[in-house]
Amino acid sequence: MISVLMFFACLYPFFLWVGLGLTGGLTANPPEYLIRSSGEWALVALCVVLLATPLSRYARISVLLKHRRMLGLFAYFYSILHLLGWAFWEQGFGLEAMWLDVVTRWFITVGVVAFVLLTPLALTSTYGWMRRLGRNWKRLHYGIYPAIALSIWHFWLVRAGKNDFFEVWIYLAVVFLLCLPRIIQLRHHK
Amino acid sequence: MSRFKIPQIAPSEITPEYIWTSRRKWLQRVGAAMGAGVLSSLPLQAWGREGISYGQRNPEFGADEKLTPEEDVTTYNNFYEFGTGKEDPARYGGDMRLQPWKVKVDGEVLRPQEFDLDDLLKLAALEERVYRMRCVEGWSMVIPWNGYPLSALLKAVEPTGNAKYVEFITDMQPDAMPGLRSRIIDWPYLEGLRLDEAMNPLTLLVFGVYGKALPVANGAPVRVAIPWKYGFKSGKSIVHIRLTEKQPETSWVRIAPHEYGFYANVNPDVPHPRWSQATERRIGSGGLFAPRLPTQMFNGYGEQVASLYSGMDLSRYY
């Protein structure tokens, strides 16, 4: 029951877009809005994934931890939408133009690398892969840390055009806060 | 620009913006009237409602494309004085004072003058021209502007032989422009043209759009439109025009010279460092599945302006 609720909660951005689309709320430039919005929601979902552990450890709320796989897959889902939005609305699915963008534009490169890092995590999210990989599964899934760092860097590079970093700083602060208990714990273990 | 919307208050409970702004304005006006003890010039924002005709469409400048819907033209704008979001100018522009409005024209001219808006409106016959507008960010519109060629104003002040450039200086109203608090731009916003570009018949001094007075978001009460250049070259809400001998140091060249040049001619062959300029998205046309359009050299106005740049390396002078 809770997992069903969780599933629909994770679809909130999707419903939001449909609602905005039906009421003309996607601005005068809907493709741009949807590309940006999907990217930001992917980042939000990654932050929620990072929240799962500290929330269960310090507040003893385990709902996120129990459904962390679903949250992670939704983060990947919104990343895919973000990537598809760019590929379709910016590049018209032209492979050559896409490749050119990836190799010549730093901020696209950084975003694509973040996406590539998340891909094996999504693919190995099943119990079968957990069993097969054993201890290495956890090691592999530490990939979320570089992926989220690159996502924020990507966001920073996008905003560099307008020197408008307010939201970027907020995400950076949130991610730092979420990583703080992990860093402290790492030092304890030494 | 996407912001997260978490619905906590039912939309029906929210006072519509136009009601609270009108209430606030009403209070301000009553306050001002009582304070000053006069009830004279009340139509503060209504500079466009004085029976001005914004002119007939000039068929010579009728782009054959479909016009961008008026709502998109007036609500999707870059005007950083009100914020960097595209909706910010329409949302926060309501407190800007548009009267009295004066435009000072000086520098390398024989007859420096300060024009009242009314004088400026009478200087030449207004006409409507449909121009394509290409933003450096990769989107475009088709807009019916109302105005007359800037050359009419420049001729009135008689540029001296030293005048080689024209600089546009935009208004600053700190209490009405929340964006001025951010230091993205070293305010005021400065733009400029070479004198021959400014004298080109395409360069329009604009007072209206869609046959009505310019809204604040589009640069009320007076702006320029230079259709073969990226949109940011067109200064909005102009208060000062200066003719100079040296090339003015314009705002975007100051901020990011590697991204935005002084000329900023629309050019599909010169990419922005962060995106290609080969194609553009036409705002308000055909929904989510409309393909991007190929961008034209000089935004399609090459016949009228290409000669201005003969012999120049346009990938160097971008």
Side-chain angles (χ1 to χ4, degrees), chain A residues 110-125:
Chain A
V110 172
V112 167
V113 171
F115 179 80
V116 168
L117 277 174
L118 287 174
T119 304
L121 311 199
L123 292 177
T124 59
S125 65

Side-chain angles (χ1 to χ4, degrees), chain A residues 22-45:
Chain A
L22 294 175
T23 55
L26 293 175
T27 80
N29 193 350
E32 172 118 1
Y33 178 90
L34 290 171
I35 292 172
R36 285 169 188 253
S37 184
S38 54
E40 282 199 48
W41 281 109
L43 198 49
V44 169

Side-chain angles (χ1 to χ4, degrees), chain A residues 117-174:
Chain A
L117 277 174
L118 287 174
T119 304
L121 311 199
L123 292 177
T124 59
S125 65
T126 59
Y127 284 118
W129 274 107
M130 272 176 120
R131 217 174 315 116
R132 246 167 285 167
L133 289 169
R135 286 181 60 187
N136 287 328
W137 187 89
K138 205 164 184 189
R139 286 188 192 144
L140 178 68
H141 281 247
Y142 283 141
I144 191 174
Y145 297 108
I148 203 163
L150 289 168
S151 302
I152 290 179
W153 186 12
H154 171 71
F155 193 28
W156 188 88
L157 288 167
V158 171
R159 286 294 168 85
K162 293 197 173 185
N163 287 319
D164 185 9
F165 301 117
F166 181 68
E167 283 159 276
V168 183
W169 286 119
I170 289 177
Y171 282 105
L172 199 62
V174 167

Side-chain angles (χ1 to χ4, degrees), chain A residues 13-22 25-42 78-86 88-90, chain B residues 1-3 76 281 287-289:
Chain A
F14 194 78
F15 291 130
L16 182 74
W17 296 330
V18 173
L20 288 172
L22 294 175
L26 293 175
T27 80
N29 193 350
E32 172 118 1
Y33 178 90
L34 290 171
I35 292 172
R36 285 169 188 253
S37 184
S38 54
E40 282 199 48
W41 281 109
Y78 288 111
S79 308
I80 289 177
L81 291 184
H82 183 55
L83 189 92
L84 282 177
W86 162 78
F88 174 60
W89 283 312
E90 298 291 323
Chain B
M1 196 145 300
S2 56
R3 296 234 162 80
Y76 192 77
R281 179 178 304 129
L288 286 175
F289 297 100

Side-chain angles (χ1 to χ4, degrees), chain B residues 134-213:
Chain B
R134 170 65 153 78
C135 177
V136 72
E137 297 167 345
W139 52 268
S140 63
M141 294 183 176
V142 181
I143 305 177
W145 297 119
N146 304 86
Y148 55 74
L150 177 68
S151 60
L153 172 61
L154 296 178
K155 280 174 196 157
V157 294
E158 296 178 36
T160 68
N162 289 334
K164 296 202 174 59
Y165 294 91
V166 182
E167 185 177 26
F168 303 99
I169 301 159
T170 291
D171 195 20
M172 289 200 287
Q173 296 183 13
D175 52 331
M177 296 174 159
L180 292 182
R181 269 172 253 146
S182 82
R183 273 173 282 158
I184 295 169
I185 287 169
D186 193 8
W187 310 105
Y189 188 80
L190 305 174
E191 259 311 333
L193 297 171
R194 224 167 50 191
L195 185 59
D196 57 346
E197 296 178 320
M199 295 297 284
N200 186 281
L202 277 180
T203 304
L204 205 64
L205 193 65
V206 176
F207 301 89
V209 65
Y210 266 98
K212 293 172 228 163

